[in-house]
């Protein structure tokens, strides 16, 4: 009888301890999950900051660092891909949005890089330097002073990054403007003609300064 009582007592004790054991096991699992989740959330915050920082960079600077940027993106995204189950639903959505945001920016940078590798045509250079597409040989006399202004404004702003080819294209635009100017200059006022002559001279001065630097470097 005593043996039976002892057996029932042990069974009762075992049953009463089972919920406690289950609870302890559950708490242990929770503790193991929480650090993984916190680490994944930290990685996501770092990834978001990284994407924003890179997209704020100047485009040309970003393209110079392209191999390193792609390596960083791959490293961070692979780590987060493995930890997505540890992220909240909201964080998973944010991660997907940031990846799509970066990918769209990356595609645009690669498109611009490929475009830059294509040589600029004379017509493209003219459109860029005059801020519009215009047939210079048929341009009205009244439009010429403004076209010269556009050419000189862009020359002042861009010349420090120009190659010899860029200067040659710009000089060709000036030559075409000058040819048209000689045909219609009598239709311009004295003030307009003086302004055009001033802009012509400024361009040649800037061009000569560039040529002088080339000679000095050599």
């Amino acid at each position: 009888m005593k043996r039976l009582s002892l057996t029932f007592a042990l069974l009762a004790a075992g049953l009463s301890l089972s919920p406690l054991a289950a609870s302890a096991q559950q708490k242990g699992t929770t503790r193991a999950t929480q650090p993984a989740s916190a680490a994944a959330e930290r990685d996501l915050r770092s990834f978001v900051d990284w994407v924003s920082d890179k997209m704020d960079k100047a485009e040309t600077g970003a393209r110079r660092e392209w191999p390193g940027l792609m390596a960083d993106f791959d490293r961070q995204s692979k780590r987060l891909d493995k930890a997505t189950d540890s992220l909240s639903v909201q964080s998973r959505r944010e991660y997907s949005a940031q990846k799509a945001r970066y990918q769209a920016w990356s595609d645009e940078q690669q498109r611009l890089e490929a475009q830059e590798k294509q040589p600029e045509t004379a017509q493209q250079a003219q459109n860029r330097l005059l801020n519009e597409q215009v047939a210079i040989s048929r341009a009205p006399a009244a439009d010429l002073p403004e076209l010269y202004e556009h050419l000189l404004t862009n020359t002042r702003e861009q010349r420090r990054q120009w190659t010899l080819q860029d200067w040659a294209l710009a000089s060709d635009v000036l030559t075409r403007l000058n040819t048209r100017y000689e045909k219609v200059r009598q239709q311009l006022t004295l003030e307009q003609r003086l302004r055009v002559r001033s802009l012509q001279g400024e361009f040649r001065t800037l061009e000569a300064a560039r040529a002088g630097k080339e000679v000095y470097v050599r």
Side-chain angles (χ1 to χ4, degrees), residues 43-61:
D43 287 342
L44 175 59
R45 296 273 70 78
S46 296
F47 181 73
V48 171
D49 292 342
W50 181 86
V51 170
S52 296
D53 176 66
K54 300 312 172 190
M55 292 181 70
D56 286 341
K57 280 180 173 291
E59 291 177 351
T60 53

Side-chain angles (χ1 to χ4, degrees), residues 63-132:
R63 290 197 290 279
R64 281 196 299 270
E65 301 172 8
W66 202 249
L69 290 179
M70 294 304 295
D72 283 347
F73 175 79
D74 289 342
R75 175 178 54 79
Q76 295 188 70
S77 59
K78 284 178 182 178
R79 181 190 302 164
L80 282 163
D81 287 342
K82 293 177 182 178
T84 49
D85 290 341
S86 300
L87 295 171
S88 67
V89 173
Q90 182 178 354
S91 292
R92 284 199 294 271
R93 288 175 183 163
E94 183 176 7
Y95 176 49
S96 296
Q98 290 296 324
K99 283 182 72 175
R101 180 186 175 208
Y102 179 84
Q103 192 59 56
W105 177 81
S106 171
D107 291 344
E108 177 64 9
Q109 299 313 303
Q110 292 183 67
R111 184 190 69 79
L112 291 171
E113 185 176 34
Q115 181 178 305
E116 285 182 355
K117 291 179 180 179
Q118 298 296 323
E120 188 176 38
T121 66
Q123 185 61 53
Q124 289 171 333
Q126 177 182 302
N127 296 345
R128 172 174 57 82
L129 292 167
L130 301 183
N131 296 342
E132 60 181 291

